[in-house]
Amino acid sequence: MINLTQMMTLEIGSGCNFSEKHKDLCPNTHMNRRTDRTLTDEMIINASREAYFELGFEGLISFQFYNEPMLYWRRMLDLMVEIRNQVPQSRFFLWTNGSVLIKDPRMALFELTHISNYLNKPIEELVQYFYNLHTRIGGGQPLDERLTWSKAEENDIRCLMPFDNFIISNSGDLYICCIDWRNEVKIGNLFDSSLKELNEKRQEYIKTICGEKMTADAHIACRTCPAKWNISNFDKRIRDKALKEFGSLV
């Protein structure tokens, strides 16, 4: 149901310059990532084309998952220009820690920018480098404790987080959400399946967790997750379409 999802992440690199600083709370230094294959430019462009032209996606493309996308800013901006050339309706979203500062007019291609301002930089400084600030998180924003969260008691409370983001990691794995950083809910990999096939598999799984209640077929990682999500508002129009499909918030 990528057509009802507000964002598609194609993680560009797995590095983060705050990994050591945040290692006690951020999963990035603890994730079991494959290193023998990583998303290529061609894969990212083809996935973008398939999403918009074949699968009805209308949302924002992002390049961050547990990485810091601005570490790869040259490649990222080059990719954005090529995607926009091939997919005129493409849209882009940046979530960054705000530590890598470059002045490049192509940064204006980001329709929305979120900054996790861990360094507590003055907003007056950040707006010289980043465009279209949607929210400004921080300064000194603390991390949550998803790295050490223990499982809650099993329950059937639904979760709408999959309608926030369609996440493909730098190694090609499709994640059901950012809370499942261990990738316990196995859906597939872009190296082995087309985006359409991944979307269909994801759609079947979504039906088990996003209805009025989670079903018994939902993975135990979802049924015991302590962070059941309503739905974010990166794009209100797409958000409202998803809520219409799966019912109003309760």
Side-chain angles (χ1 to χ4, degrees), residues 45-61:
I45 292 169
N46 287 344
S48 301
R49 288 177 54 85
E50 187 174 358
Y52 283 106
F53 289 147
E54 300 179 29
L55 301 179
F57 179 65
E58 299 177 331
L60 299 135
I61 295 174

Side-chain angles (χ1 to χ4, degrees), residues 26-77:
C26 180
N28 195 50
T29 55
H30 304 271
M31 296 172 73
N32 184 22
R33 292 178 178 269
R34 291 188 61 162
T35 58
D36 57 327
R37 58 187 191 183
T38 59
L39 295 183
T40 65
D41 289 4
E42 182 180 16
M43 293 176 71
I44 290 173
I45 292 169
N46 287 344
S48 301
R49 288 177 54 85
E50 187 174 358
Y52 283 106
F53 289 147
E54 300 179 29
L55 301 179
F57 179 65
E58 299 177 331
L60 299 135
I61 295 174
S62 68
F63 301 95
Q64 82 288 329
F65 181 33
Y66 277 107
N67 63 341
E68 170 47 54
M70 287 298 295
L71 294 179
Y72 312 94
W73 66 268
R74 289 183 179 87
R75 181 187 176 202
M76 181 171 63
L77 295 180

Side-chain angles (χ1 to χ4, degrees), residues 36 78 157 163:
D36 57 327
D78 287 345
I157 300 172
F163 293 109

Side-chain angles (χ1 to χ4, degrees), residues 156-175:
D156 60 4
I157 300 172
R158 75 169 180 175
C159 180
L160 296 179
M161 187 179 282
F163 293 109
D164 284 3
N165 200 351
F166 188 107
I167 303 168
I168 297 177
S169 74
N170 187 236
S171 57
D173 286 316
L174 178 63
Y175 283 69

Side-chain angles (χ1 to χ4, degrees), residues 200-242:
E200 290 172 349
K201 293 177 183 178
R202 181 177 179 270
Q203 177 173 322
E204 288 306 307
Y205 184 70
I206 279 177
K207 293 176 182 178
T208 72
I209 66 173
C210 296
E212 184 177 348
K213 295 181 178 180
M214 282 195 185
T215 73
D217 294 328
H219 194 285
I220 190 66
C222 291
R223 293 182 63 85
T224 59
C225 178
K228 301 292 177 66
W229 208 260
N230 282 333
I231 191 168
S232 296
N233 191 19
F234 301 114
D235 186 304
K236 186 177 185 301
R237 184 179 61 84
I238 298 174
R239 175 184 185 272
D240 290 346
K241 284 170 57 179

Side-chain angles (χ1 to χ4, degrees), residues 184-201:
E184 294 180 75
V185 182
K186 302 291 186 183
I187 299 176
N189 189 291
L190 191 61
F191 281 91
D192 306 316
S193 305
S194 69
L195 192 70
K196 179 181 179 182
E197 291 169 334
L198 293 179
N199 183 51
E200 290 172 349
K201 293 177 183 178

